Amino acid sequence: EQRVAHRDLQPGVRHRPDARVGAEDERARAHARHQIARVVLDLALRREFDYQIPEALAHRVEVGARVRVPFGAGSRLGVVVSLAATSEHASLKSIEKVIGEQSLLTRNVLELARWMAGYYCCSVEAALKSVLPEAVRKEEAQWRERLYAYALPPERDGGPALTTRQQAVWNILEEWRELPLQELVRLGETTAETVRKLEDKGYLILAPRREERDPYAHERFLPTTPLVLNAEQASALEAIRGAMGPSEAPAAGSGAESSRTFLLHGVTGSGKTEIYLQALELALAQGRGGIVLVPEISLTPQTVERFKARFSSGPNRTLVAVLHSQLSAGERHDEWHKIRQGRARIAIGARSAVFAPVDPLGVIIVDEEHESSYKQEEAPRYHARDVAVVRGQREGATVILGSATPSLESYFNAKRDKYRLLELRHRVTDTRLPVVRIVDLRLERRPERGGGPSIFSVPLREAIQQRLERSEQTILFLNRRGFSSSLQCESCGYVAGCPHCSVSLTFHRRAQEIRCHICGHAAAVPGQCPQCANPRIRYSGLGTERVEDALHALFPKARVSRMDTDTLKRKEDYRRVLTEFRTGRIDVLVGTQMIAKGLHFPNVTLVGIIHADLALHLPDFRAGERTFQLLTQVSGRAGRGDVEGEVFVQTFTPFHPAIQFARRHDYEGFYDQEMEFRQQLRYPPLARVALLTLKGRNDDKVKFAAEHLARTLSDRLSGWKDLILAGPAPAPLARAEAFYRHQILLRTRAMARLSQELAAVEGELTLPEDVKLGIDVDPVDLS
Ligand code: ADP
Ligand code: ZN
């Protein structure tokens, strides 16, 4: 009898969503009226389907619920997007099953997905798919259950006799009261068999229990307290506090967008993160939560720690949840549900964390808002920064976009009072920004060695030497991995190209392979020219691998490490290299953009940019902006400690404005000059762009389809004065992964309207079967 009573008390589900009882009644009433659920299936059908809500599920089917429904001969998963009292269809099938204990989508996130489908010209199905992590969408429960042993109260007469071994195990459990079976077996140095005998004798009971994973379980976070802000920080936070309103939560949706979206323009090391932390604290005090977006590459343990340490130590351990693609599926599932259940109030993550079900939402922070990785390059092709601004507006949340080098779009919005501009002009520690020296590679040519400059100019070489002597650290940056960018025959000029893409293959010396950086195609290095059989093959162009080799040759004693996607295959690699660098076991770190972002190492006093022009010559109107940002970000890695930093920029175009303004740390100057160019050509931020790309295996067919589409568009949109249509033309990357690509570029100020038109055209358009159209609204990558 006792046992049965105890069984009822088993904490089978430990964490029930709390405080939803009131909502329960309301839902019951709603269901009295609504017997029909409108469902969007996980199939891109661009349609909603009506289903009957069976009596037994009435209390669980609500808007946002994930359900399994009959479809065709089988069944499918989908999302309930609305409820209705009647349907125009006669005999409806019934919902089979509701997934999860709670509707997965909040109303806010559901509405956001619908907005996204409209603006980014994609199906609602695709939008819905991207707002829920894969680990959460699955039908099978992802919770981890473990078998626990629970001690039962002793019987009055002391219970049946125990063997010595059983007694020893019982002594342990009697003390702990409950333990995972595995743990008890380990502590008691025994077997599960012995424990089961104890269960038979009525001493304990074994029952499964849900156990939540905590990816950071093994880390300790020393609690931090808010810092006393300096004057610049204080006035920035004051403005934010003003927008966030009094400590009790203001009504959602009140106030204009301009008063709630901030652009925090602060040089590297100016203390932006402290402002984020204090804004989050304000949101928590108002009973609201927050979302922090950082670029995937900056989602390091260091970054997570700063937020966990402030909010998530001791009893509040779950307050900060991290949504990271490198967590296991189970961990991701649990972290997400912590947010959905309201036990985590702050979500940190990359791009897709903008959809975290934080509710109510007080603040969204987008750090490094200019980063191109906020743009998703497959449908739905959303930009997380822009989605954040829209979401903030809809939910009455304050949005803080932070950067040392804001995107032209955001700075433009701040200038015309769409956003409010907050500036931090000084580094907190008052260390000066590094001195930037430009090295003109044209003057470094060595006619005696075929004309090209060496990898390290004389000044850079001397500077590295000096750092090695002083035991200071150096970072060398080059935005291309591999050894050399191409392999060319000295006799006939043959260049090894990818058979599937219109690019040349990069030579990787260690792997002795030539590889395509677009599609991954790899081949052995030819011993002789495949075209003319000449054995002499020349390597031209630089990659990080070659820089590393040249360093070894020049400074044999230096401890050199390389960091790019070739060397970092696993997440531990990244951590390991950074730890080695931090603890001074590496003198020189060579890498791609991976090392450009957010890393903070006080002992780095020298940064060398091996070839600053690489990004300048891309066929992209943002090439100058990218170069400026990159140079500024990389330079920001130098001189974060007591010693002033020095940066060497090696370039063939020393007078290019992007390079000159970066040298002077002059963002405003760069902005003004770049805006003139954008204005002349009516590029963003003065207009918005939609890029239509047609792809197919047959070049003529693709070209023909592109011409047909361009004609259709110009007929339909003729008379639209604000619209500029360019193309069709072969894409800069004319062929990728065996697909030929042609593009049409549209520019307008009225993108929401253009999106509607494009969706309509796409719906009516008949393309040849093997030609596909991709629509990219506000594209970041124009290749
Ligand atoms: P950013 O995010 O702008 O690059 P950080 O927030 O990383 O700058 O700040 C740089 C350093 O200055 C950090 O070590 C931070 O702890 C410290 N810091 C920030 N604000 C203050 C302050 N008000 N007083 C003292 N130290 C501060
Ligand atoms: Zn390829």
Side-chain angles (χ1 to χ4, degrees):
E1 221 175 311
Q2 205 174 30
R3 268 172 94 155
V4 173
H6 198 87
R7 206 183 277 277
D8 287 341
L9 293 175
Q10 287 313 310
V13 179
R14 284 187 83 203
H15 304 294
R16 277 255 167 236
D18 46 352
R20 296 185 56 88
V21 186
E24 212 68 48
D25 292 348
E26 204 175 298
R27 239 180 303 156
R29 273 196 299 277
H31 282 286
R33 298 191 300 270
H34 298 139
Q35 277 131 36
I36 313 291
R38 299 240 150 88
V39 177
V40 169
L41 300 176
D42 290 4
L43 293 166
L45 297 170
R46 296 184 188 240
R47 269 190 62 189
E48 295 173 5
F49 295 88
D50 289 358
Y51 285 92
Q52 191 79 41
I53 303 173
E55 194 61 40
L57 295 180
H59 62 294
R60 294 182 60 208
V61 176
E62 54 184 328
V63 172
R66 211 160 148 68
V67 291
R68 179 168 280 286
V69 293
F71 187 78
S75 69
R76 287 281 176 178
L77 290 177
V79 171
V80 176
V81 292
S82 60
L83 299 175
T86 55
S87 169
E88 51 191 64
H89 303 283
S91 61
L92 294 180
K93 292 181 182 163
S94 286
I95 291 176
E96 285 173 1
K97 188 177 165 188
V98 179
I99 314 293
E101 293 152 17
Q102 200 180 359
S103 72
L104 291 184
L105 283 156
T106 62
R107 247 171 218 277
N108 283 329
V109 173
L110 180 63
E111 287 311 312
L112 190 64
R114 281 186 193 272
W115 169 82
M116 209 159 67
Y119 183 78
Y120 290 104
C121 270
C122 70
S123 65
V124 174
E125 287 88 346
L128 282 176
K129 187 165 179 197
S130 66
V131 301
L132 285 180
E134 192 57 39
V136 173
R137 302 165 51 79
K138 294 230 175 80
E139 186 172 9
E140 319 82 63
Q142 301 263 312
W143 298 105
R144 179 170 67 181
E145 294 206 327
R146 282 224 279 179
L147 212 50
Y148 263 71
Y150 298 92
L152 294 178
E155 285 171 29
R156 219 163 294 143
D157 57 5
L162 297 177
T163 66
T164 336
R165 287 183 62 184
Q166 290 166 353
Q167 185 66 47
V169 175
W170 170 240
N171 288 345
I172 293 170
L173 189 67
E174 197 177 21
E175 190 181 325
W176 286 84
R177 305 312 301 167
E178 53 182 60
L179 271 178
L181 173 61
Q182 241 180 346
E183 198 62 15
L184 180 59
V185 166
R186 194 181 63 82
L187 288 174
E189 294 172 359
T190 181
T191 59
E193 191 53 38
T194 310
V195 179
R196 293 212 187 268
K197 291 245 171 65
L198 279 167
E199 187 182 28
D200 292 342
K201 290 185 178 176
Y203 279 81
L204 57 83
I205 183 166
L206 288 168
R209 158 160 143 188
R210 174 185 297 182
E211 205 166 65
E212 210 159 66
R213 282 153 285 218
D214 175 3
Y216 296 86
H218 300 293
E219 316 217 2
R220 273 173 198 281
F221 302 103
L222 293 178
T224 61
T225 46
L227 299 173
V228 178
L229 301 180
N230 63 31
E232 279 187 330
Q233 286 174 312
S235 76
L237 187 68
E238 205 39 56
I240 293 167
R241 194 197 306 274
M244 290 179 70
S247 348
E248 69 276 12
S254 66
E257 172 195 6
S258 64
S259 61
R260 289 247 177 84
T261 304
F262 293 89
L263 175 61
L264 179 60
H265 176 209
V267 296
T268 48
S270 58
K272 294 187 288 296
T273 311
E274 186 60 32
I275 293 178
Y276 303 155
L277 289 165
Q278 298 199 16
L280 287 165
E281 192 181 318
L282 258 159
L284 292 178
Q286 296 177 334
R288 313 219 263 171
I291 296 175
V292 182
L293 301 183
V294 296
E296 179 87 47
I297 212 168
S298 314
L299 199 49
T300 58
Q302 236 180 329
T303 308
V304 171
E305 179 173 359
R306 289 183 78 174
F307 291 89
K308 287 247 183 194
R310 185 65 57 87
F311 299 112
S312 212
S313 46
N316 294 329
R317 227 187 134 94
T318 63
L319 205 61
V320 175
V322 181
L323 299 170
H324 196 306
S325 64
Q326 293 190 325
L327 302 180
S328 70
E331 287 170 336
R332 253 177 289 159
H333 172 270
D334 290 7
E335 290 289 282
W336 189 91
H337 278 285
K338 279 175 213 169
I339 303 167
R340 179 66 183 100
Q341 294 168 3
R343 288 177 302 119
R345 310 299 305 276
I346 296 172
I348 305 182
R351 188 169 62 219
S352 63
V354 73
F355 306 116
V358 176
D359 200 13
L361 184 61
V363 62
I364 310 180
I365 289 151
V366 185
D367 192 28
E368 311 280 359
E369 67 84 27
H370 63 279
E371 269 287 319
S372 52
S373 65
Y374 283 126
K375 174 80 176 178
Q376 171 147 302
E377 292 297 354
E378 63 206 58
R381 294 189 167 89
Y382 68 90
H383 197 300
R385 175 200 56 220
D386 300 340
V387 174
V389 171
V390 170
R391 182 167 180 190
Q393 230 174 303
R394 292 166 157 263
E395 297 182 34
T398 296
V399 179
I400 307 173
L401 313 176
S403 174
T405 51
S407 61
L408 258 65
E409 284 82 350
S410 293
Y411 205 71
F412 178 72
N413 280 333
K415 287 240 158 179
R416 54 173 190 157
D417 293 329
K418 238 187 122 189
Y419 302 164
R420 286 166 64 183
L421 185 63
L422 306 170
E423 305 229 41
L424 305 177
R425 296 180 186 276
H426 305 283
R427 282 185 163 182
V428 171
T429 50
D430 234 16
T431 47
R432 286 223 301 252
L433 289 169
V435 179
V436 180
R437 304 186 195 284
I438 309 288
V439 181
D440 187 343
L441 287 177
R442 294 170 306 178
L443 306 176
E444 295 279 327
R445 290 210 175 104
R446 297 164 308 161
E448 74 284 1
R449 314 244 329 237
S454 58
I455 296 173
F456 305 105
S457 60
V458 175
L460 177 56
R461 200 180 319 161
E462 284 170 356
I464 298 172
Q465 178 68 40
Q466 207 181 49
R467 293 324 185 278
L468 290 172
E469 283 161 12
R470 296 204 301 234
S471 300
E472 292 168 9
Q473 290 172 301
T474 299
I475 287 179
L476 296 177
F477 172 84
L478 178 68
N479 213 1
R480 194 194 287 136
R481 63 201 165 84
F483 186 82
S484 64
S485 54
S486 68
L487 197 73
Q488 191 172 26
C489 170
E490 290 195 343
S491 160
C492 74
Y494 163 87
V495 174
C498 176
H500 317 294
C501 311
S502 52
V503 295
S504 59
L505 296 172
T506 302
F507 174 49
H508 289 250
R509 208 185 69 139
R510 276 177 194 66
Q512 278 298 311
E513 267 180 359
I514 41 180
R515 285 187 207 149
C516 173
H517 285 186
I518 301 290
C519 74
H521 168 86
V525 180
Q528 57 182 46
C529 174
Q531 197 163 279
C532 72
N534 171 12
R536 285 176 61 89
I537 284 181
R538 203 158 46 103
Y539 303 107
S540 53
L542 270 182
T544 44
E545 219 181 275
R546 188 154 175 196
V547 174
E548 188 190 6
D549 284 10
L551 265 177
H552 282 302
L554 269 177
F555 308 105
K557 291 217 189 78
R559 294 164 302 172
V560 175
S561 213
R562 174 161 56 98
M563 214 158 109
D564 55 34
T565 46
D566 290 327
T567 61
L568 307 180
K569 298 281 183 232
R570 292 161 305 157
K571 64 173 168 178
E572 303 89 76
D573 295 338
Y574 186 73
R575 286 180 87 149
R576 180 179 46 76
V577 176
L578 288 186
T579 307
E580 283 178 12
F581 194 55
R582 181 166 316 126
T583 52
R585 278 175 282 161
I586 296 172
D587 300 314
V588 186
L589 187 61
V590 180
T592 53
Q593 63 251 49
M594 220 172 236
I595 59 175
K597 316 289 155 88
L599 305 178
H600 175 87
F601 300 112
N603 199 34
V604 173
T605 60
L606 173 66
V607 167
I609 295 160
I610 302 294
H611 198 343
D613 313 64
L614 274 186
L616 271 182
H617 304 306
L618 298 175
D620 185 328
F621 68 88
R622 289 196 183 90
E625 184 181 1
R626 295 258 168 74
T627 302
F628 177 82
Q629 286 165 349
L630 201 60
L631 295 185
T632 307
Q633 297 284 337
V634 180
S635 307
R637 302 305 115 225
R640 308 262 295 191
D642 299 332
V643 187
E644 190 169 304
E646 207 178 14
V647 178
F648 284 83
V649 178
Q650 304 194 133
T651 171
F652 286 102
T653 52
F655 299 107
H656 193 286
I659 290 175
Q660 282 298 327
F661 285 116
R663 179 177 73 83
R664 295 201 292 270
H665 309 288
D666 182 3
Y667 178 84
E668 286 261 351
F670 175 75
Y671 174 83
D672 289 341
Q673 116 98 38
E674 181 71 13
M675 281 298 280
E676 270 179 42
F677 153 70
R678 304 279 176 101
Q679 201 132 28
Q680 276 163 15
L681 298 173
R682 282 243 270 139
Y683 273 127
L686 295 147
R688 285 179 180 256
V689 170
L691 181 67
L692 315 185
T693 304
L694 290 122
K695 300 199 292 187
R697 287 177 191 277
N698 180 320
D699 198 18
D700 287 336
K701 269 199 205 171
V702 179
K703 188 160 172 262
F704 184 78
E707 279 161 3
H708 172 66
L709 175 58
R711 265 194 311 275
T712 310
L713 284 169
S714 59
D715 288 351
R716 184 181 176 112
L717 305 176
S718 67
W720 186 340
K721 280 203 206 68
D722 169 51
L723 189 82
I724 304 175
L725 187 151
L733 184 61
R735 189 168 177 243
E737 300 176 65
F739 288 98
Y740 291 92
R741 311 167 77 244
H742 288 255
Q743 293 180 339
I744 298 167
L745 194 77
L746 298 159
R747 278 169 279 170
T748 176
R749 266 190 279 258
M751 184 50 81
R753 189 181 144 204
L754 181 60
S755 295
Q756 281 177 6
E757 296 284 353
L758 289 175
V761 170
E762 193 187 16
E764 291 163 17
L765 189 73
T766 41
L767 288 172
E769 189 137 306
D770 47 354
V771 176
K772 296 273 174 286
L773 168 65
I775 300 179
D776 192 350
V777 173
D778 301 335
V780 161
D781 180 0
L782 297 172
S783 65

